[in-house]
Amino acid sequence: MAEASLESPQHRFDNRIEAEEKIEPKDWMPDGYRKNLIRQISQHAHSEVIGMQPEGNWLTRAPTLKRKCILLAKIQDEGGHGLYLYSAAETLGASREELVEALHTGHAKYASIFNYPTLTWADIGAIGWLVDGAAIVNQISLQSTSYGPYARAMVRICKEESFHQRQGYEIMVKLAEGNATQRAMAQDALDRWWWPSLMMFGPHDAESAHSAQSMRWKIKRQSNDDLRQKFVDQTVPQAEAIGLRIPDTKLVWNAARGHYDFGEIDWNEFNRVVSGNGLCNRQRLDHHKQAHEDGEWVRDALRAYAEKQA
Ligand code: BYC
């Protein structure tokens, strides 16, 4: 590969990355950097929006009015996160239409976790505690990603996710303090959501297709495995504090490493779900397509308004 000359845009870009300067929408950037960011940010946006569905399933069945209001606000926050992220992707030249099209045609992924069903109210606690908990670990790291609009979106998203994580944990605390049936519900939800939550961090570093380049470009700041370890280390004591058992017989504190050792993820299951064959993949996408179709009149009205103003 030809070396970038000292004055070349590539050289200036490399220096800015090296100096921890943010890259902004109008700055020169390599095509691969732009493409990789559009891929990651749009998939992140799709995850936020598709992620509204499993929780939305419990809006009409929340146990109290207060719980319902909290859940409604949380789900609306997730929709808002999707909007910040689509906007960040749009600053890179990708239109919202193309991004949604890529989701609908299966060309763009979204987090595998949202293809699992929410069977009981305890699942709402488990999602807030574990899924938002895992998302925060990942997103705190992304606050220092090299692309300015993505980094800034993460700051606000992390503040909101922090509230989401606490509301989920509080649901689990209440259930764990409850009667035997309620405790069993909490344990069952933890049993079902634990491993899919660990999968949120993606494949092992050695198997991760994008990590090496994304780390060089400082799009990713910590590796999939390092972030997963951080999540395990912070979550195990939270489970212990409320008397719940993490469903992993290999989980043990390793004093020499200063971290928990834990069992292996079922990568066959991960691959199955990511490739579209999880329990709810079809349902999630069909629902999104239907909602998109139902919203056509809103887009038409906005287009007509914009034309009138022009
Ligand atoms: N699920 O090379 P890798 C939320 C894909 S939502 C599905 O390691 P990368 C919330 C990966 O895309 C917040 N696919 O990729 C909302 C790639 O496929 P492509 C969700 C996965 O990008 C509502 C391939 O596998 N957070 O908080 O370097 C309610 C190879 O992987 C998954 C984000 O989206 C997966 N788990 O690293 C409640 C975080 N893992 O694109 C809560 C932003 C991997 O080549 N994203 N893949 O076809 C990231 O940080 C990174 O994209 C990842 C993967 C760490 C996920």
Side-chain angles (χ1 to χ4, degrees):
M1 200 165 64
E3 239 174 69
S5 89
L6 285 182
E7 293 306 316
S8 73
Q10 176 73 55
H11 189 257
R12 279 197 297 275
F13 173 86
D14 293 343
N15 280 345
R16 293 182 65 188
I17 294 285
E18 177 66 25
E20 298 283 330
E21 279 178 35
K22 297 289 178 226
I23 305 300
E24 297 297 339
K26 290 190 174 158
D27 295 339
W28 184 91
M29 61 187 84
D31 285 347
Y33 177 85
R34 185 186 298 276
K35 213 168 137 212
N36 196 14
L37 271 173
I38 292 173
R39 178 194 65 81
Q40 178 168 328
I41 299 174
S42 64
Q43 295 191 161
H44 195 162
H46 299 326
S47 303
E48 299 281 358
V49 171
I50 295 281
M52 296 164 79
Q53 293 186 40
E55 291 178 294
N57 188 33
W58 279 87
L59 274 175
T60 54
R61 291 175 288 163
T64 65
L65 180 60
K66 186 174 156 204
R67 293 281 184 204
K68 186 186 178 104
C69 292
I70 294 171
L71 184 58
L72 196 56
K74 181 207 189 284
I75 295 171
Q76 284 175 339
D77 285 351
E78 307 297 359
H81 298 172
L83 294 184
Y84 314 151
L85 287 161
Y86 283 126
S87 300
E90 282 171 313
T91 65
L92 290 156
S95 75
R96 184 82 62 93
E97 289 75 17
E98 314 168 28
L99 300 178
V100 172
E101 171 78 7
L103 172 68
H104 287 175
T105 53
H107 290 101
K109 298 187 167 80
Y110 58 87
S112 51
I113 189 95
F114 301 117
N115 294 307
Y116 292 83
T118 40
L119 304 179
T120 73
W121 173 250
D123 289 17
I124 300 305
I127 290 182
W129 174 34
L130 303 175
V131 178
D132 286 273
I136 297 175
V137 168
N138 172 286
Q139 292 171 155
I140 284 178
S141 176
L142 287 172
Q143 285 179 345
S144 51
T145 190
S146 56
Y147 188 56
Y150 194 21
R152 291 189 286 275
M154 284 303 113
V155 174
R156 177 151 174 195
I157 289 178
C158 282
K159 287 191 178 132
E160 293 176 352
E161 300 288 33
S162 167
F163 154 71
H164 298 166
Q165 195 270 350
R166 282 155 212 236
Q167 69 83 36
Y169 189 59
E170 197 262 347
I171 291 175
M172 296 305 265
V173 170
K174 282 283 177 294
L175 289 171
E177 286 170 355
N179 61 30
T181 308
Q182 289 165 326
R183 276 198 301 280
M185 245 169 79
Q187 182 62 53
D188 172 60
L190 171 57
D191 291 348
R192 285 181 290 105
W193 290 91
W194 176 253
W195 291 104
S197 298
L198 296 193
M199 293 175 197
M200 285 180 74
F201 297 94
H204 281 310
D205 297 346
E207 313 293 326
S208 165
H210 302 288
S211 277
Q213 183 59 68
S214 289
M215 297 284 271
R216 278 196 291 277
W217 277 327
K218 297 187 179 169
I219 290 174
K220 279 168 98 163
R221 305 310 307 261
Q222 281 168 290
S223 81
N224 295 1
D225 284 324
D226 286 351
L227 291 171
R228 186 167 17 243
Q229 180 73 61
K230 204 170 189 175
F231 172 72
V232 170
D233 290 347
Q234 81 179 31
T235 310
V236 173
Q238 293 169 355
E240 282 170 357
I242 56 175
L244 295 181
R245 193 192 61 256
I246 302 279
D248 179 354
T249 50
K250 300 219 167 86
L251 185 78
V252 60
W253 176 251
N254 182 329
R257 285 200 317 123
H259 293 291
Y260 283 95
D261 290 338
F262 54 98
E264 192 52 270
I265 285 171
D266 179 347
W267 294 108
N268 288 331
E269 176 179 327
F270 173 78
N271 290 326
R272 200 168 52 242
V273 178
V274 170
S275 61
N277 297 310
L279 286 168
C280 300
N281 295 60
R282 173 76 65 84
Q283 182 187 333
R284 301 292 184 237
L285 265 190
D286 284 352
H287 186 85
H288 194 279
K289 285 178 192 165
Q290 186 63 53
H292 191 67
E293 226 169 83
D294 293 347
E296 182 66 39
W297 69 272
V298 180
R299 294 189 296 280
D300 285 347
L302 284 172
R303 261 191 299 271
Y305 180 75
E307 276 162 24
K308 204 163 172 214
Q309 295 295 305

